[in-house]
Each structure stands twice: as structure tokens, then as C-alpha cells.
């Protein structure tokens, strides 16, 4: 099964997301980059350079992320 987490950065750059234990890909989107559909092909096309994160049961992580320049 595939699940998604979604977080929007605040004006100061902070964000928060929580989800079930799993492996996740971090894919950045700008406000103007709203996909019509998020599906396997869309994810595959953006996953090559995506940062991977694993959440274990009961684990909390703090990540410092930098969106790539476009």
C-alpha cells in the first residue's frame, strides 16, 4: 500500500508532518507545481534525487531540509 504525507512550510521555513512507520521519499513542490494526480509514474519521475527517510515505530525525527533550486 502507498501512503502520502503532506507538509507546507510556514513563512519562517518550519514545517511539521507525522505518519505511520514506513519508508518515505521527500519530494518538494512549489505552490505553482500542483500535480493533477499523484500516482506511481509521477512519483517515479521525481524519486531519483529524492531524499529517503525511514520512520520506525515510536520514532520522532527532526530534519533540516533544503529545497533544490529551480
Amino acid at each position: 500500500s502507498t501512503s502520502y504525507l503532506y507538509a507546507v512550510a510556514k513563512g519562517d521555513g518550519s514545517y511539521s508532518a507525522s505518519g505511520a512507520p514506513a519508508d518515505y521519499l521527500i519530494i518538494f513542490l512549489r505552490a505553482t507545481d500542483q500535480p493533477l494526480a499523484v500516482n506511481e509514474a509521477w512519483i517515479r519521475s521525481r524519486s531519483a534525487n529524492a531524499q529517503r527517510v525511514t520512520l520506525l515505530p515510536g520514532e520522532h525525527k527532526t530534519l533540516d531540509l533544503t529545497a533544490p533550486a529551480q
Side-chain angles (χ1 to χ4, degrees):
S1 150
T2 301
S3 61
Y4 307 95
L5 300 179
Y6 181 77
V8 175
K10 298 177 187 173
D12 65 1
S14 65
Y15 65 93
S16 179
S18 62
D23 294 320
Y24 293 93
L25 296 173
I26 298 173
I27 299 173
F28 290 95
L29 294 175
R30 299 194 185 285
T32 56
D33 293 338
Q34 298 303 316
L36 296 177
V38 175
N39 55 37
E40 186 176 340
W42 184 89
I43 293 169
R44 189 176 295 123
S45 72
R46 287 155 179 82
S47 65
N49 296 319
Q51 181 176 337
R52 287 153 168 58
V53 176
T54 299
L55 293 178
L56 301 174
E59 182 177 36
H60 295 142
K61 288 189 174 186
T62 299
L63 303 173
D64 289 323
L65 302 171
T66 301
Q70 287 193 14

